[in-house]
Amino acid sequence: MAAVTLKNVIKRFGVFEIVHGANIDIDDGEFVVFVGPSGCGKSTLLRMIAGLEDISDGEIAIGGKVVNDIEAADRGIAMVFQSYALYPHMTVEQNLSFGLRMTGNPKADTERRVKRASEILRIAELMKRRPRQLSGGQRQRVAIGRAIVREPQVFLFDEPLSNLDAELRVQMRVEISRLHKELGVTMVYVTHDQTEAMTLADRIVVLNAGNIEQIGAPLDLYDDPANRFVAGFVGSPKMNFLAAKIVGADNGAAVVELVNHRGARLRKPLSDALPAIGGDVVLGVRPEHFFDAGQGDCDLTLKADVAEHLGSVSYVYANSGTGGGREELIIEREASRHRANGDDLVVSIKADRSLLFDATGARIR
Amino acid sequence: MRYQNATAYRFLAPYLLIFSIFWLWPIIDSFLISFQATRTVPWRFAPTFNWGRLIGDPAFFNALKNTLLILVIQVPVMISLAIVMAVLLNSPLLKARGLFRFAFFAPVVVGEVAYSAVFRLMFNLDYGIINKLLNSIGLPSVDWFTNVTPAMAVIMMAVTWRWAGYNAIILLAGLQSIPEDVYEAATLDRVSKVKQFFYITLPLLKPIIVFCAVLSIIGTMQLFTEPFLITERGGPGGGTETLGLLLYRQGFRSLNFGYASAIAYTMAGLAIAISLVQIWLTREPK
Ligand SMILES: Nc1ncnc2c1ncn2[C@@H]1O[C@H](COP(=O)(O)OP(=O)(O)O)[C@@H](O)[C@H]1O
Ligand SMILES: [Mg+2]
């Protein structure tokens, strides 16, 4: 078991800088998820930890030892690939034992490790099959088994569930969580799916275009995002962003006018220095933070477009009508089967259930 | 449905007609001819005339021996070489990959007569570049075309030069279909590059290798141009005469079509038999 530390890690492909100086401290035994949109450099970062990609600048340490110049095989890591990367011509058993056999590991020890992995993952009855005779979920188990057999200090997962169907994904997610508890080993997990990140992680690293936007526990990111990107990325459905303007500032509070909502105003207490009057800002409100008319600090009158009834809740896709520019909002309501399209809908927002961002996307607290 | 089929067959008709006249009929007819005595006019049906002669003909066994000798040496050497070429072509370190790919493939495009003439010149006793090179490193000249062993070697080298690149390109396509992350997984498993080649690349490439081998076996069984042009009709003294050449000599020099047909069917039968054995030996474990 080992901690993993990234210090100012930079990755360039030719002239393109893909990762712009990442600083991450992963504790021993922690489950950390790198999340971000496709192409933001998650895999690249993971592959640098694995040793499959060299580090252009900065330092990566595993278990306190700088590994920049250490071969991938000697870093004490094991990796599970998105496409499983099983050896197609070998049986499951051979897949699990291949690395150990090739490096002359004592036979009895190899057998012990393979047996243990097959028990942990419950794949004992698949041992004689070849990858193409397995379902996607079974292949993924074998791929994880191959990582377990290495008895690594750190597990690396690169979008391991993205090729599975929705139901299986949930099932394997629970399985991976269980595995982490059982083995107690450091795990670094890459995904573009924020739900996976929220459910699995001890801590989440949110990446965007090669920059780390925020590192924190799942609910901290949800409650207290550092910027508009994180606020929009974490949570499903996404946070609504309402265009606004600062029209007053006094006594530790700013008054913002929602420009697309017929001049509706909200008084928002702030602890930072108050923003300048006249500045453009954005007010973020999560779908679940709309209240019934009159229950909040500021009412908004909307037109409902479409309602999705999920049973426990309904999501209403609404717009601000012609009260300025047209703005689309997603609003969570208690389950209701009677809402018709085109209906007027009055909802209320609260100052302490909304977040303020400046024009660059930085949070104003 | 039936109407649609009829339309399809009408479109196919021109091809089927040509196929029948120039392919199907000769295939059937040569089979029939192989059972006829064709040295006297009119031809007459004599089932054992050609086939009986075949199993006792020293010229046939000489040609068979030469053909098989070339087969067992040249095909494995060429396929091995093609695999090495394919791996090099596939290397990320290689610059100007397109140029190399073209260069490896180019020999197939060169006219047979031209390439044979060049090989004759290169291996010429007095002015050939090969002997010049041998001399330059202190080795004596080799009289390539008057002794059987060097003449055979020239044939094998020529065929290998012409077809190794072609096979390498086919193998390259196979190599490129092996996903990169399988190698990365092996690297993380501490498996060396050499072991990766023998335990991952070769097994995964096996179906393509078998395919190339079968193609090469069929090609070599029919070997004709090289011994005809480079070693001048199977010289020295029939030492490089192949089945293809014997067939030509019997059919188109002696106009003994019955015997030539019997040889042709023997060649085809052998090619099929060897290929089947090859496929069977290298079949996937179930
Ligand atoms: N070998 C490479 N050469 C050049 N660019 C690359 C290479 N690998 C990845 N990239 C680029 O780096 C960026 C990040 O890629 P990646 O880490 O795979 O993203 P993610 O896993 O977050 O989807 C992408 O823009 C991609 O095009
Ligand atoms: Mg990726």
Side-chain angles (χ1 to χ4, degrees):
Chain A
M1 275 176 269
V4 179
T5 314
L6 282 73
K7 240 188 254 158
N8 258 319
V9 172
I10 291 176
K11 178 66 187 178
R12 292 182 209 96
F13 289 111
V15 298
F16 297 106
E17 194 173 292
I18 299 298
V19 175
H20 317 289
N23 289 291
I24 308 173
D25 282 307
I26 299 169
D27 291 336
D28 187 6
E30 198 178 14
F31 198 125
V32 167
V33 175
F34 295 174
V35 71
S38 174
C40 70
K42 309 179 293 288
S43 297
T44 306
L45 212 47
L46 195 73
R47 291 166 57 82
M48 282 194 283
I49 298 175
L52 294 172
E53 208 74 76
D54 41 74
I55 302 159
S56 307
D57 219 326
E59 222 173 71
I60 294 180
I62 298 176
K65 207 166 78 183
V66 175
V67 295
N68 286 38
D69 297 320
I70 294 180
E71 294 279 332
D74 299 325
R75 294 189 180 190
I77 54 95
M79 182 151 164
V80 177
F81 295 82
Q82 175 173 1
S83 57
Y84 320 130
L86 298 176
Y87 309 120
H89 56 299
M90 297 183 200
T91 63
V92 169
E93 187 168 20
Q94 290 166 337
N95 261 284
L96 295 184
S97 62
F98 181 61
L100 294 173
R101 279 186 285 125
M102 287 297 108
T103 50
N105 193 57
K107 205 163 169 232
D109 182 58
T110 304
E111 278 168 11
R112 175 188 66 77
R113 293 195 197 190
V114 169
K115 186 156 176 293
R116 173 165 168 268
S118 77
E119 278 164 5
I120 292 175
L121 291 165
R122 300 190 269 260
I123 49 174
E125 73 282 12
L126 306 177
M127 296 308 268
K128 296 289 171 226
R129 295 210 209 152
R130 276 165 214 283
R132 69 169 126 41
Q133 300 164 316
L134 302 176
S135 69
Q138 290 171 331
R139 281 179 209 183
Q140 193 52 270
R141 271 168 212 274
V142 176
I144 295 172
R146 192 172 58 182
I148 292 178
V149 164
R150 297 205 59 212
E151 301 190 341
Q153 301 187 303
V154 181
F155 277 87
L156 307 175
F157 295 89
D158 191 354
E159 310 222 12
L161 307 186
S162 57
N163 288 342
L164 303 180
D165 64 49
E167 198 178 330
L168 207 51
R169 211 175 317 165
V170 175
Q171 200 182 318
M172 283 303 291
R173 209 162 74 196
V174 175
E175 194 100 341
I176 289 174
S177 246
R178 181 178 65 87
L179 192 69
H180 179 239
K181 289 211 179 63
E182 218 167 301
L183 301 176
V185 175
T186 313
M187 292 190 174
V188 184
Y189 186 108
V190 160
T191 180
H192 65 269
D193 178 353
Q194 62 95 25
T195 316
E196 247 169 61
M198 294 294 280
T199 51
L200 282 170
D202 293 328
R203 273 194 309 154
I204 296 177
V205 177
V206 182
L207 289 159
N208 181 30
N211 290 308
I212 295 178
E213 297 283 350
Q214 193 172 0
I215 302 179
L219 290 181
D220 290 346
L221 297 190
Y222 179 84
D223 293 335
D224 192 17
N227 53 49
R228 184 175 163 174
F229 179 83
V230 176
F233 198 82
V234 173
S236 172
K238 281 161 94 83
M239 181 181 273
N240 296 290
F241 293 107
L242 290 72
K245 210 180 220 17
I246 304 286
V247 293
D250 64 86
N251 291 334
V255 179
V256 295
E257 181 177 309
L258 301 172
V259 297
N260 295 324
H261 296 271
R262 300 178 195 84
R265 290 185 173 196
L266 177 75
R267 198 181 130 84
K268 171 99 180 134
L270 297 170
S271 54
D272 289 352
L274 296 179
I277 291 177
D280 287 328
V281 290
V282 174
L283 191 74
V285 184
R286 293 202 182 274
E288 56 272 38
H289 292 155
F290 288 95
F291 302 88
D292 288 337
Q295 303 286 301
D297 304 325
C298 168
D299 282 3
L300 306 176
T301 305
L302 307 171
K303 283 238 176 303
D305 291 324
V306 179
E308 289 178 348
H309 303 297
L310 302 186
S312 56
V313 293
S314 297
Y315 291 112
V316 181
Y317 292 74
N319 68 76
S320 59
T322 50
R326 187 184 151 101
E327 207 163 65
E328 309 273 350
L329 302 175
I330 306 175
I331 291 158
E332 185 183 312
R333 303 270 76 194
E334 275 170 33
S336 147
R337 286 146 222 269
H338 304 296
R339 208 169 302 280
N341 298 346
D343 280 0
D344 273 348
L345 173 67
V346 183
V347 292
S348 186
I349 56 176
K350 290 184 181 172
D352 62 354
R353 283 280 184 267
S354 60
L355 306 172
L356 199 60
F357 304 96
D358 70 15
T360 66
R363 178 87 180 276
I364 309 175
R365 287 190 159 91
Chain B
M1 193 60 216
R2 285 173 61 97
Y3 176 74
Q4 283 174 358
N5 279 348
T7 309
Y9 280 114
R10 275 201 289 277
F11 274 109
L12 281 171
Y15 170 76
L16 289 178
L17 189 72
I18 290 169
F19 175 79
S20 307
I21 295 173
F22 293 102
W23 284 92
L24 201 56
W25 173 241
I27 289 171
I28 296 167
D29 194 35
S30 62
F31 186 66
L32 299 177
I33 291 175
S34 76
F35 293 104
Q36 296 177 36
T38 55
R39 298 181 74 183
T40 48
V41 185
W43 295 355
R44 65 189 162 77
F45 183 69
T48 57
F49 188 81
N50 297 314
W51 291 101
R53 177 177 169 190
L54 191 76
I55 53 176
D57 185 357
F60 168 73
F61 282 101
N62 173 54
L64 181 64
K65 183 200 79 195
N66 290 340
T67 307
L68 293 180
L69 192 65
I70 294 171
L71 192 84
V72 296
I73 298 174
Q74 184 264 331
V75 173
V77 167
M78 178 181 70
I79 299 285
S80 308
L81 194 65
I83 293 171
V84 173
M85 289 160 79
V87 169
L88 293 180
L89 269 182
N90 201 32
S91 162
L93 302 174
L94 183 73
K95 303 263 189 296
R97 180 175 326 232
L99 183 70
F100 278 102
R101 216 162 27 197
F102 169 73
F104 282 1
F105 196 75
V108 180
V109 189
V110 175
E112 290 184 312
V113 176
Y115 120 88
S116 299
V118 170
F119 262 82
R120 274 195 72 78
L121 283 174
M122 279 173 29
F123 286 90
N124 182 288
L125 175 61
D126 299 319
Y127 342 99
I129 184 153
I130 302 294
N131 277 342
K132 289 256 156 66
L133 284 174
L134 287 178
N135 295 155
S136 75
I137 55 167
L139 294 171
S141 291
V142 176
D143 194 351
W144 293 99
F145 297 114
T146 52
N147 297 305
V148 174
T149 308
M152 279 293 247
V154 173
I155 300 258
M156 292 182 205
M157 282 188 268
V159 177
T160 301
W161 176 81
R162 192 166 160 87
W163 294 103
Y166 176 85
N167 286 289
I169 299 294
I170 297 176
L171 288 163
L172 177 64
L175 277 183
Q176 287 172 341
S177 73
I178 303 177
E180 187 56 33
D181 54 15
V182 170
Y183 293 107
E184 291 181 342
T187 303
L188 292 180
D189 272 348
R190 206 191 304 275
V191 179
S192 67
K193 288 273 176 249
V194 175
K195 282 188 173 165
Q196 287 180 24
F197 176 77
F198 283 106
Y199 288 93
I200 296 174
T201 309
L202 275 190
L204 290 180
L205 211 52
K206 201 172 74 182
I208 318 275
I209 296 175
V210 172
F211 173 74
C212 285
V214 168
L215 274 191
S216 305
I217 289 165
I218 293 170
T220 302
M221 284 306 295
Q222 301 175 355
L223 195 61
F224 173 79
T225 311
E226 287 81 0
F228 187 77
L229 291 175
I230 299 179
T231 55
E232 285 195 294
R233 311 192 175 194
T240 59
E241 184 168 74
T242 57
L243 288 173
L245 214 50
L246 177 67
L247 182 158
Y248 169 81
R249 196 153 59 82
Q250 288 296 332
F252 299 98
R253 301 253 112 201
S254 316
L255 302 182
N256 187 357
F257 292 112
Y259 194 41
S261 298
I263 295 167
Y265 264 87
T266 309
M267 286 163 62
L270 277 173
I272 292 169
I274 297 172
S275 299
L276 286 180
V277 168
Q278 168 87 356
I279 291 168
W280 185 75
L281 282 178
T282 55
R283 74 199 177 285
E284 283 289 300
K286 82 110 215 124

